[in-house]
Amino acid sequence: MSLGDFLIEGARELGVIVSDDKLNLFLLYLDNLKKWNEGINLTAIRNDREIVLNHFIDSLSIVPFIENDKSLLDIGSGGGFPGIPLKIVRPALQVTLLDSVNKKVSFMNDTVRKLQLKDIHAVWGRAEDINNKVPRGSFDYVVTRAVGSISDTARLSSPYVSENGAIVLMRGKKGPEEWILAKEEIGCDFELVDSKEFTLPQSDLVRSIFILKPNRSSKS
Ligand code: SAM
C-alpha cells in the first residue's frame, strides 16, 4: 500500500475522509517535518509510515469530538500535533498552537505558511505564564497530546476554556490507569464528560481520549 493510501485508509477507519487535496497537504507537511527535523528535535520517529501513523493518524483520532467552525488551542503542540492535522481536515477551525520552544514555534509557522492554511498560528510561550499572548476563557477546545500528567494538563488547560468549552486529553495505553490517579488529584475540579479507548488503525497501538469540563462551581 502506498503511503498516501495508508493515510487515507487509516483516517477512514477513524471516520475521517482525506481527499486528494488534503492528502497533498499532509505530504507537504511530512516533507517539511523531515527537513526541519534534521536541525531541531521535532520527532524521534524517522520512518515515513510510522510518522503517518503515530503523528498524523493519531492526531485525527479526536476528530469525532471536534466540531468544525470552533476555536481550538493546542498546548505543547511541538511539531504541530494534533493541531495541524486537525486544521487540515477541519478547515473552518480557528487554531492556536502554543509551545515553550521558539524553534518549534518557527517550524509550525513555517508549515502553516507552506500549506497556505488560514486562521491558524503558533505562539511562543508557556501555558502557565500569565503574560503569554494567548487569550483566556475563549477556546471551545483545549487539546494536549504527550505534555504531562492528566491532572497537570487539565489544570494548565482550564484557564483557556470558554464557558461551554471542553478539555481534550490524548493519552496512551496507560490512560485508564492515569485517569484513576488523576481523579484523586483533581477531585471535583473537573467533570469527565466522555472517554474512549481504541487501537490505532492497522497497528496494535492502544490510545485513550478523555474529555473534561472544568467544574466552575468547585471551590477546591
Ligand atoms: N504535542 C506534541 C506531540 O504530541 O507530538 C508534542 C509533545 S512533546 C512531548 C511536549 C511539548 O510540549 C514540547 O514541544 C514542549 O516544548 C511543550 N511544552 C511542555 N510544557 C509546556 C508548557 N508548560 N507550555 C507550553 N508548552 C509546553
Side-chain angles (χ1 to χ4, degrees):
M1 196 188 289
S2 73
L3 190 66
D5 286 345
F6 180 67
L7 173 51
I8 289 170
E9 182 56 25
R12 197 191 57 75
E13 284 183 38
L14 294 169
V16 181
I17 303 300
V18 173
S19 57
D20 285 350
D21 55 332
K22 291 185 183 3
L23 176 61
N24 284 336
L25 294 179
F26 277 112
L27 296 177
L28 271 177
Y29 185 11
L30 176 63
D31 269 357
N32 209 35
L33 181 74
K34 290 197 299 183
K35 196 173 109 202
W36 278 70
N37 209 35
E38 288 167 14
I40 63 170
N41 184 19
L42 294 166
T43 176
I45 303 173
R46 306 283 154 171
N47 175 279
D48 285 0
R49 198 168 279 244
E50 285 184 27
I51 292 175
V52 165
L53 179 66
N54 286 279
H55 291 316
F56 295 170
I57 294 174
D58 188 32
S59 293
L60 298 180
S61 65
I62 59 170
V63 166
F65 297 97
I66 307 286
E67 288 175 40
N68 217 350
D69 206 10
K70 300 277 183 188
S71 58
L72 179 145
L73 170 65
D74 180 5
I75 294 179
S77 192
F81 308 114
I84 295 178
L86 291 173
K87 175 68 186 178
I88 292 174
V89 303
R90 286 263 193 261
L93 270 180
Q94 298 120 54
V95 177
T96 302
L97 310 159
L98 176 67
D99 204 280
S100 53
V101 176
N102 202 9
K103 284 180 183 169
K104 295 183 180 182
V105 171
S106 299
F107 162 73
M108 290 190 278
N109 279 325
D110 182 63
T111 301
V112 162
R113 253 190 318 274
K114 287 188 171 131
L115 272 55
Q116 299 185 346
L117 300 173
K118 306 287 173 242
D119 287 331
I120 174 170
H121 68 293
V123 176
W124 179 30
R126 297 197 67 83
E128 62 272 39
D129 178 0
I130 52 165
N131 294 316
N132 76 30
K133 301 277 187 292
V134 182
R136 269 55 178 180
S138 70
F139 291 91
D140 298 305
Y141 305 104
V142 179
V143 305
T144 52
R145 194 186 81 143
V147 174
S149 71
I150 289 184
S151 52
D152 286 350
T153 44
R155 291 197 195 288
L156 272 185
S157 304
S158 182
Y160 298 95
V161 187
S162 66
E163 201 174 328
N164 294 312
I167 295 170
V168 181
L169 303 170
M170 301 178 69
R171 313 297 305 183
K173 69 173 179 202
K174 293 196 173 145
E177 294 165 43
E178 293 170 347
W179 172 248
I180 291 168
L181 186 70
K183 267 199 302 191
E184 304 275 314
E185 293 167 355
I186 61 180
C188 303
D189 295 352
F190 296 89
E191 181 194 350
L192 178 68
V193 291
D194 207 348
S195 66
K196 178 182 171 185
E197 204 183 343
F198 63 101
T199 305
L200 276 182
Q202 310 194 35
S203 79
D204 56 3
L205 300 172
V206 178
R207 298 285 187 260
S208 47
I209 298 168
F210 297 87
I211 314 290
L212 308 185
K213 293 211 174 194
N215 187 355
R216 307 283 186 201
S217 59
S218 169
K219 291 192 178 64
S220 54

